[in-house]
Amino acid sequence: MKESRTNNNAALHYWTAQPEDVITALGSSANGLSDHEVTERQKKYGPNSLKGKNVSSAYLLFLGQFKSPITLILIAAAILSFILQDKTDAIIILVIVVVSSGLGFWQEYGASNAVAKLLQMVQITVQVIREGTNKSVATESIVPGDVILLSAGDIIPADSIIISSQDLFVDEAAFTGESYPVEKQIGALAVDTPIAKRTNMLFMGSHVISGKAKTLAISTGMDTEFGKISNRLRLRAPETEFEKGIKKFGFMLMQITMVLIIIIFALNVLLHKPILDAFLFSLALAVGLTPQLLPVIITVNLSVGAKKMAAQQVIVKRLAAIENFGSMNVLCSDKTGTITQGQVKLYKATDIEGVENEKVMQFAWLNAAMQQGFKNPIDEALITAYAKNDQTKPPLLDEVPYDFLRKRLSIVLSLDGQPTVITKGAFQQVLEVCNHIQKGTETPTLMSEDDRNQLLERYASFSREGYRTLGICWKQSTTQTFKKEDEKEMVFLGFLTFFDPPKESAIKAINDLNGLGVKLKIITGDNALIAETLAKTIGLSNAVVVKGSELMAMSNEALMAKATGTDIFAEVEPNQKEQIILALKKAGHVVGFMGDGINDAAALHAADVGISVDTAVDVAKEAADLVLMNQDLEVLANGIREGRRTFANTMKYVFMATSANFGNMFSMAGASLILSFLPLLPKQILLTNLLTDVPETTIATDNVDEEYISKPHRMDIGFIKKFMLVFGLLSSIFDYCTFGVLLLILKSNEQQFQTGWFLESVISASLIVLVVRTRNRFFKSLPSRPLWIANLFVVILVLAIPYTPLGALFGFVQLPLQFYGYMTLIVIAYIITADYVKIWFYKKLAGGN
């Protein structure tokens, strides 16, 4: 029997003990756990997840198909009917309800499984030590006792205690709500230290901003502090605009339906029809007329869209974001890897006069190669450029990792027996800690104002040429330890210039995005001169550039007005990215943001669509809605097209539901007034609903017109109301034509009337799909094969039902041949009229939709 998952480790006061004592208490070691121990502990503690795996999820999903109050009341009424009167009809009603719900379950269950497989492609991993070896493992496999290695950008996968750390700063905002990074370090604390003050512990739900650490996992999954409060703390992702629109649409249609159902029920009672029959009829009508299949259709459409987007190398983490992806009209992105090749290469390492210099190169290589934190592309470029000089590295004495406030990285080495500090970083931030300069191997001299101005001018010259330029400086130290505060009175040594050439495909990709109605805005920390040079290279000759310093001086209202017309935001601080995104959203845009760095998480959360890449740091991938397996704007453009196809096919169902269902409500209300019997029996209404649902389950496979894909679309309830009113009334007009044929020409009795209307209702609803699915003439835009086959199948089945034993069971009878002639004329007239009305509607009433 599986042991209880409860982890008693959390109950012990590990923050009061020394790390070595904690390691012993958890039965671990400096070499980590063995694979056998990990397996045993995974059995004991279960997966390191706040969700876990629910074996009954399929059953719950099936039961969820019956959650509609109307469906539950209908089932109860059918059971009452079974007890009091017609057992056969009651059984038929119950069977149809189960079959309809089964159809929804089958579609939704398949969709959820497909999405789960896609999510495995972007699994978050963490570095651990097991059996003395560094390994990369999935965060879900972490167990108490695991030794975890963390660096900047890493998600903290479990509650853990620090074994060792260096300049470690952690963002605990998701856990504590505190927006400022918290410094963490080794050490024992008092037993009554509150959680927020336990500086020797790291908690699940936070991530590393800067520095590095080795930690020991203490609690995992639901036993973590985050897990204990997860039901209260874990907020649902904010609803997308599309989700809000669908909810409003469903609520609106439900309100209209309920009012009409109450009226129809009251009319039937006043006309002295059996109360239970009238009640069942009204409930069945409510089930048939409400867009019951809408949640399933949306889920299926989104999952099909997710699979198609995966084929385009775009992995969807949050299904609802697909609709926003299709609606997106502004994309904000850094230039690196999207517009440029993302392969940073060293151009030159020069002294203060711009002459290539060996000492500058050597010091830059030592700084990049010996720092122990996260190695960015610039570090990799320096290491690659100096690889041929495979010299012995001096001892590393200390290090101050890079952070986004200082924008510098310092290491302390023992050079010729003397502690020597080497610092590299953003030019301005390096220059501000220097008061000396050195030319080549000459003796350092005090930096004059003229020297400083010459350095600034050389920096500007490099930037105008399109090179990203860093500074490098050094000094000798009297101690082997070094802190941020010691970065002062240093010697400016030289410049490091890098280039990242634009992709050959960048111009085409930007034009493709423009063709899709998506405006690209570059947000970069690089200086404005580099950004302007790049803009000219990719064809943006008159790009509007706004600097981060200018943003600081703007009010929110001014930024909102300025942001729309800006092409490039340069010299931007990390916190300003979110500010820009929010300003664009307030200006009425649907905004996507593409980021892969530690400081991009807030902007990814703020955007309507957060986009990251598979090579991004953990915190960026975790915050993103979509993950690109290939960092390329062309991949993104293809993904946008798929997003718009998904949006289009979802809206097709909405339009189908409104054109058929709303018209049926008017028709049913009128029929109830003029007939002495029920226009359709409850079981016949439910069968109608089931048969019209069948083709609509294939709508996710349908073709979408290219002109629809060429621009973004948004959910508009006002537009849907217009469509519902126009096409609902049109549908009702041809229903009344059918009533006239049945009552006035053919003098039909009750069963003949019900059979005739059933045939006309289902066939017209099936065929109108071919009209509603496109804005063009229906014969110029062909449906997908599954859609037309499903419609053809339903039409043939409906025509055959009155001639089968199943027809008799549902109360249908054979009709005279002339009815089929009249019905054919009515349906053809309906299709042709609807097609002409559609063209008029989109021309006169659609507006920008």
Side-chain angles (χ1 to χ4, degrees), residues 123-127 139 152-156 207 317 596 615-623:
Q123 201 171 42
I124 303 297
T125 60
V126 64
Q127 288 287 321
T139 55
D154 286 345
I155 296 283
I156 294 167
H207 66 271
K317 285 183 60 193
D596 60 359
T615 54
V617 296
D618 290 349
V619 67
K621 279 203 289 187
E622 185 74 12

Short mmCIF file of all heavy atoms in Angstrom, two decimals, residues 123-127 139 152-156 207 317 596 615-623:
data_model
loop_
_atom_site.label_atom_id
_atom_site.label_comp_id
_atom_site.label_asym_id
_atom_site.label_seq_id
_atom_site.Cartn_x
_atom_site.Cartn_y
_atom_site.Cartn_z
N GLN A 123 8.32 21.53 -20.68
CA GLN A 123 8.42 21.25 -19.26
C GLN A 123 9.58 22.03 -18.63
O GLN A 123 10.65 22.18 -19.21
CB GLN A 123 8.66 19.74 -19.08
CG GLN A 123 8.30 19.22 -17.71
CD GLN A 123 8.35 17.70 -17.68
OE1 GLN A 123 9.25 17.09 -18.24
NE2 GLN A 123 7.37 17.08 -17.04
N ILE A 124 9.34 22.55 -17.43
CA ILE A 124 10.37 23.27 -16.70
C ILE A 124 11.31 22.27 -16.04
O ILE A 124 10.87 21.30 -15.42
CB ILE A 124 9.75 24.19 -15.63
CG1 ILE A 124 8.75 25.17 -16.26
CG2 ILE A 124 10.84 24.95 -14.87
CD1 ILE A 124 9.36 26.13 -17.24
N THR A 125 12.62 22.51 -16.16
CA THR A 125 13.61 21.61 -15.54
C THR A 125 14.45 22.38 -14.53
O THR A 125 14.46 23.62 -14.52
CB THR A 125 14.52 20.99 -16.60
OG1 THR A 125 15.20 22.03 -17.31
CG2 THR A 125 13.73 20.14 -17.59
N VAL A 126 15.16 21.65 -13.69
CA VAL A 126 16.01 22.25 -12.66
C VAL A 126 17.27 21.41 -12.53
O VAL A 126 17.26 20.19 -12.77
CB VAL A 126 15.25 22.36 -11.32
CG1 VAL A 126 14.92 20.98 -10.77
CG2 VAL A 126 16.04 23.16 -10.30
N GLN A 127 18.37 22.04 -12.16
CA GLN A 127 19.64 21.34 -11.96
C GLN A 127 19.70 20.79 -10.54
O GLN A 127 19.44 21.51 -9.56
CB GLN A 127 20.82 22.29 -12.18
CG GLN A 127 21.07 22.66 -13.63
CD GLN A 127 21.66 21.51 -14.44
OE1 GLN A 127 22.49 20.77 -13.97
NE2 GLN A 127 21.19 21.38 -15.67
N THR A 139 10.91 19.54 -12.74
CA THR A 139 10.61 20.03 -11.39
C THR A 139 9.67 19.10 -10.65
O THR A 139 9.73 19.00 -9.43
CB THR A 139 10.00 21.45 -11.44
OG1 THR A 139 8.85 21.42 -12.30
CG2 THR A 139 10.99 22.46 -11.98
N ALA A 152 20.45 32.72 -11.62
CA ALA A 152 19.50 33.76 -12.03
C ALA A 152 18.51 33.23 -13.07
O ALA A 152 18.90 32.58 -14.03
CB ALA A 152 20.26 34.95 -12.60
N GLY A 153 17.23 33.51 -12.84
CA GLY A 153 16.18 33.11 -13.76
C GLY A 153 15.51 31.80 -13.42
O GLY A 153 14.48 31.47 -14.00
N ASP A 154 16.07 31.05 -12.46
CA ASP A 154 15.51 29.74 -12.12
C ASP A 154 14.26 29.86 -11.26
O ASP A 154 14.20 30.69 -10.34
CB ASP A 154 16.54 28.87 -11.38
CG ASP A 154 17.62 28.34 -12.31
OD1 ASP A 154 17.42 28.41 -13.53
OD2 ASP A 154 18.65 27.86 -11.80
N ILE A 155 13.28 29.01 -11.56
CA ILE A 155 12.13 28.84 -10.68
C ILE A 155 12.58 28.03 -9.47
O ILE A 155 13.32 27.06 -9.60
CB ILE A 155 11.01 28.07 -11.41
CG1 ILE A 155 10.49 28.89 -12.60
CG2 ILE A 155 9.89 27.68 -10.48
CD1 ILE A 155 9.58 30.01 -12.23
N ILE A 156 12.14 28.40 -8.29
CA ILE A 156 12.47 27.62 -7.09
C ILE A 156 11.43 26.51 -6.99
O ILE A 156 10.24 26.78 -6.80
CB ILE A 156 12.49 28.50 -5.84
CG1 ILE A 156 13.67 29.49 -5.97
CG2 ILE A 156 12.63 27.66 -4.57
CD1 ILE A 156 13.66 30.61 -4.99
N HIS A 207 11.28 32.98 -7.49
CA HIS A 207 12.34 32.69 -8.46
C HIS A 207 13.56 33.57 -8.20
O HIS A 207 13.47 34.61 -7.55
CB HIS A 207 11.85 32.87 -9.90
CG HIS A 207 11.50 34.28 -10.27
ND1 HIS A 207 10.25 34.83 -10.09
CD2 HIS A 207 12.27 35.27 -10.80
CE1 HIS A 207 10.23 36.08 -10.50
NE2 HIS A 207 11.44 36.38 -10.93
N LYS A 317 0.52 27.02 -24.06
CA LYS A 317 0.44 26.62 -22.65
C LYS A 317 -0.92 26.92 -22.07
O LYS A 317 -1.39 26.23 -21.18
CB LYS A 317 1.50 27.37 -21.84
CG LYS A 317 2.93 26.85 -22.04
CD LYS A 317 3.90 27.60 -21.14
CE LYS A 317 3.53 27.42 -19.68
NZ LYS A 317 4.25 28.35 -18.80
N ASP A 596 12.28 36.59 -23.13
CA ASP A 596 12.92 35.35 -22.70
C ASP A 596 13.84 35.55 -21.51
O ASP A 596 14.55 34.63 -21.10
CB ASP A 596 13.70 34.72 -23.85
CG ASP A 596 14.81 35.63 -24.37
OD1 ASP A 596 14.95 36.76 -23.86
OD2 ASP A 596 15.55 35.21 -25.29
N THR A 615 14.28 28.25 -25.24
CA THR A 615 15.59 28.46 -24.62
C THR A 615 15.56 29.54 -23.54
O THR A 615 16.61 29.89 -23.00
CB THR A 615 16.61 28.85 -25.70
OG1 THR A 615 16.12 29.99 -26.42
CG2 THR A 615 16.85 27.72 -26.67
N ALA A 616 14.38 30.07 -23.23
CA ALA A 616 14.25 31.14 -22.24
C ALA A 616 14.54 30.63 -20.84
O ALA A 616 14.51 29.43 -20.57
CB ALA A 616 12.85 31.74 -22.30
N VAL A 617 14.79 31.57 -19.93
CA VAL A 617 14.95 31.20 -18.52
C VAL A 617 13.60 30.69 -18.00
O VAL A 617 12.54 31.02 -18.54
CB VAL A 617 15.44 32.39 -17.67
CG1 VAL A 617 16.82 32.83 -18.11
CG2 VAL A 617 14.46 33.56 -17.74
N ASP A 618 13.65 29.91 -16.92
CA ASP A 618 12.44 29.26 -16.41
C ASP A 618 11.32 30.23 -16.11
O ASP A 618 10.16 29.99 -16.43
CB ASP A 618 12.78 28.48 -15.13
CG ASP A 618 13.64 27.27 -15.40
OD1 ASP A 618 13.80 26.92 -16.59
OD2 ASP A 618 14.16 26.67 -14.44
N VAL A 619 11.66 31.35 -15.48
CA VAL A 619 10.61 32.27 -15.03
C VAL A 619 9.87 32.87 -16.23
O VAL A 619 8.67 33.15 -16.15
CB VAL A 619 11.21 33.37 -14.12
CG1 VAL A 619 12.14 34.29 -14.88
CG2 VAL A 619 10.11 34.17 -13.44
N ALA A 620 10.55 33.06 -17.35
CA ALA A 620 9.90 33.58 -18.56
C ALA A 620 8.99 32.53 -19.18
O ALA A 620 7.86 32.82 -19.58
CB ALA A 620 10.95 34.06 -19.56
N LYS A 621 9.48 31.29 -19.27
CA LYS A 621 8.65 30.22 -19.83
C LYS A 621 7.42 29.98 -18.97
O LYS A 621 6.33 29.71 -19.48
CB LYS A 621 9.46 28.92 -19.94
CG LYS A 621 10.36 28.85 -21.16
CD LYS A 621 10.71 27.43 -21.55
CE LYS A 621 11.66 26.78 -20.59
NZ LYS A 621 12.12 25.47 -21.08
N GLU A 622 7.59 30.08 -17.66
CA GLU A 622 6.47 29.86 -16.74
C GLU A 622 5.40 30.92 -16.92
O GLU A 622 4.21 30.65 -16.83
CB GLU A 622 6.98 29.85 -15.30
CG GLU A 622 5.94 29.52 -14.25
CD GLU A 622 5.56 28.05 -14.23
OE1 GLU A 622 6.24 27.22 -14.86
OE2 GLU A 622 4.55 27.73 -13.57
N ALA A 623 5.82 32.18 -17.17
CA ALA A 623 4.88 33.30 -17.29
C ALA A 623 4.19 33.36 -18.64
O ALA A 623 3.15 34.00 -18.79
CB ALA A 623 5.62 34.61 -17.03
#
